[in-house]
C-alpha cells in the first residue's frame, strides 16, 4: 500500500467513519421506531424482536469471514461492495410492504454491514502506519460509535414523528452513496501478505448455531415446545460440531486455542454480557416510554439522552484509562454502574418515578461508556501480533451476538409476562425478570473484570501466546541440505 499524504489519510479515515456511522445508527435509530412499526405493520413483540435481531444476527455470523475475505481479495473492493449492498438494503427497507419483508431486507442490510466495520478497521490500520497517529485515528473511530449512540435516539425520534419510520432508512442513502463514490476515488487497494484460508464448514456451523438459538429463544413464548425444541437441539448439535471440527483445521474460523487465555475468554463473555444488556435495555426502554407512558418518538428519544450522552463522554475517558492503568478499572466502573442501574429497575421500579428513571439511564450510560474500550484491549492482550486481528474479530462478533441475545431473551421474557394483556396494564410487572437479567449481566462484567485482569490472568495469556507462536512456527529442518 503506497504511503499517503496526511490529508489523504484523514480523508480515508473520514470515509471509514461514514460507514461506521450509518451501520451503528441503524440499531439505535430503529429502536425508537419500534412502537410505530408495531402500530403500522401490526407487529407482535416477536416481530419487533426480529426487526432488530435479523440485522445483528447476520452481522455476528459474517463479520469474521468478511474480514478474511477482504484480506484475501482486496479491502477496498470488499468495502465498496459492502457500501453498495448496505445502501441497497436500506432502500429496500424503506419500501418494505409488511413486517416479513422488512426483516428480509434488514438481513440484506446486514450482509453489507458485515463488509464495512471490520474491513474499515483493517484499512485504517494499514493507512496509519505510525503508532501514535494510528492510536489517534482509532480514537476518532471509537468516538463515532459514541456519537451514534448519542444521536441515534434523537435523530430517530425526530424522523419518525415528522416523516414516519421509513425515513430512518432514507438517511443511509446519501451517506452510503457518497461514501461509495469517495471510496472508489480515494481509498487505495490493499491486501494482507498472507490471508487466512476460508472455512466454509465452520461458517455454516456458526450460522446454524446463532440462527437456531435465536429462533428458539424468540419463538418460545409464542409456540409449543415441539415447535421450538428442534431449533434448540440444532443449536446444541452445531455447537458440538464446532468444538470437534475447528481444532482440526490449520486455519480455523474460530481458533479455540485463544480461549486458553483468561483475558481473551473474559473479554468474549464480557462483550456478550455488556451488549446483551444494551440490546435489552434499549428494547425495554423504547417500548415502555412510548407504549406505557404514551410519549412520542421524539420525546422518547429525548428521554434516552441521559443514557446516550454519558456513553459518548465516558468512552474516550475509558480509552485513556486503559492506556495508562490497564483494563481493570474501566471494567469495574462499567460493571458496577450497570449492576446498580439494573437494580434500580428490578428492586425499586425505577420506571414509576422520573428521578429514579433518570438515575437508571445515567448509570447505564456511564457503565456502557466504560466497557467498550477494555473489551478489545483485553481480547488481544498478550496475543501474538499475527493473531491480534483475528482475536479482535472474535470480540466484535461477541458484541453483535450479545446484542442479538439481549433482544431475544428480554423480548421473550416480556412477551411471556404480557401475554394477551396490554402493555400499559402489565409492562412494569412483566419486565421485572428482564431487569434482573440485565442486573446479572452487569454483575458478570464486574466479576470477570476482577478475575481476568490480574497477574494470574496475564500469565495464562502469556502461556497461550507462547503456545500459539510455537505451534505456528515451522519445524526446523536438520540433516543434509538443511
Amino acid at each position: 500500500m503506497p504511503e499517503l499524504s496526511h490529508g489523504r489519510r484523514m480523508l480515508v479515515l473520514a470515509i471509514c467513519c461514514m460507514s461506521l456511522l450509518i451501520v451503528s445508527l441503524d440499531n439505535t435509530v430503529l429502536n425508537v421506531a419500534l412502537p410505530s412499526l408495531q402500530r403500522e405493520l401490526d407487529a407482535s413483540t416477536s416481530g419487533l424482536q426480529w426487526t432488530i435481531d435479523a440485522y445483528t444476527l447476520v452481522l455476528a455470523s459474517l463479520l469474521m469471514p468478511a474480514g478474511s475475505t477482504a484480506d484475501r481479495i482486496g479491502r477496498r473492493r470488499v468495502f465498496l461492495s459492502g457500501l453498495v449492498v448496505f445502501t441497497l438494503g436500506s432502500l429496500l427497507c424503506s419500501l418494505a410492504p409488511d413486517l416479513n419483508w422488512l426483516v428480509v431486507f434488514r438481513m440484506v442490510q446486514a450482509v453489507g454491514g458485515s463488509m464495512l466495520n471490520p474491513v474499515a478497521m483493517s484499512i485504517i490500520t494499514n493507512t496509519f502506519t505510525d503508532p501514535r497517529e494510528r492510536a489517534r485515528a482509532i480514537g476518532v473511530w471509537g468516538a463515532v460509535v459514541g456519537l451514534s449512540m448519542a444521536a441515534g435516539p434523537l435523530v430517530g425520534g425526530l424522523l419518525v414523528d415528522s416523516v414516519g419510520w421509513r425515513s430512518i432508512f432514507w438517511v443511509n442513502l446519501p451517506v452510503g452513496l457518497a461514501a461509495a463514490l469517495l471510496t472508489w476515488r480515494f481509498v487505495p487497494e490493499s491486501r494482507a501478505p498472507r490471508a487466512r484460508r476460508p472455512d466454509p464448514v465452520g461458517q455454516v456451523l456458526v450460522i446454524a448455531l446463532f440462527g437456531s438459538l435465536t429462533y428458539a429463544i424468540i419463538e418460545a413464548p409464542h409456540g409449543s415446545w415441539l415447535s421450538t425444541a428442534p431449533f434448540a437441539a440444532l443449536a446444541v448439535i452445531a455447537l458440538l460440531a464446532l468444538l470437534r471440527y475447528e481444532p482440526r483445521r490449520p486455519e480455523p474460523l474460530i481458533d479455540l486455542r485463544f480461549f486458553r487465555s483468561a483475558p481473551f475468554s473474559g473479554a468474549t463473555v464480557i462483550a456478550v454480557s455488556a451488549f446483551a444488556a444494551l440490546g435489552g435495555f434499549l428494547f425495554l426502554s423504547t417500548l415502555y416510554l412510548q407504549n406505557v407512558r404514551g410519549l412520542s418518538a421524539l420525546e422518547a428519544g429525548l428521554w434516552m439522552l441521559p443514557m446516550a450522552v454519558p456513553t459518548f463522554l465516558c468512552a474516550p475517558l475509558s480509552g485513556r484509562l486503559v492506556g495508562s492503568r490497564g483494563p481493570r478499572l474501566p471494567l469495574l466502573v462499567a460493571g458496577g454502574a450497570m449492576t446498580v442501574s439494573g437494580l434500580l429497575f428490578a428492586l425499586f421500579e425505577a420506571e414509576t418515578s422520573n428521578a429514579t428513571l433518570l438515575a437508571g439511564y445515567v448509570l447505564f450510560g456511564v457503565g456502557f461508556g466504560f466497557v467498550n474500550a477494555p473489551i478489545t484491549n483485553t481480547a488481544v492482550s498478550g496475543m501474538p501480533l499475527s493473531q491480534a486481528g483475528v482475536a479482535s474479530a472474535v470480540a466484535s462478533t461477541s458484541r453483535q451476538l450479545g446484542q442479538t441475545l439481549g433482544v431475544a431473551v428480554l423480548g421473550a421474557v416480556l412477551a411471556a409476562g404480557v401475554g394477551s394483556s396490554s402493555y400499559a396494564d402489565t409492562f412494569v410487572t412483566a419486565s421485572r425478570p428482564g431487569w434482573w437479567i440485565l442486573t446479572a449481566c452487569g454483575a458478570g462484567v464486574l466479576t470477570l473484570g476482577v478475575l481476568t485482569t490480574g497477574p494470574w490472568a496475564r500469565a495464562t495469556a502469556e502461556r497461550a501466546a507462547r503456545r500459539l507462536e510455537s505451534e505456528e512456527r515451522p519445524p526446523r529442518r536438520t540433516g543434509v541440505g538443511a
Side-chain angles (χ1 to χ4, degrees), residues 5 24 30 37 43 64 82 89 107 113 121 164 214 247 293 323 383 391 394-395 452 463:
S5 66
S24 301
L30 187 61
L37 286 171
M64 286 187 287
M107 296 173 74
M121 181 53 73
T214 304
R293 287 205 168 193
M383 288 287 174
V394 174
T452 63
R463 287 196 298 271

Side-chain angles (χ1 to χ4, degrees), residues 15-16 18-20 22-23 76-90 109 111-116 172-173 175-184 187:
I15 294 168
C16 291
M18 288 168 69
S19 74
L20 175 64
I22 55 177
V23 172
R76 175 177 174 269
R77 180 182 300 176
V78 172
F79 186 70
L80 185 57
S81 300
L83 286 168
V84 172
V85 173
F86 185 86
T87 305
L88 175 62
S90 299
Q109 261 194 317
V111 171
S114 69
M115 303 182 208
L116 296 180
N172 297 333
L173 305 184
V175 178
L177 289 173
L181 291 173
L182 289 170
T183 299
W184 177 74
V187 176

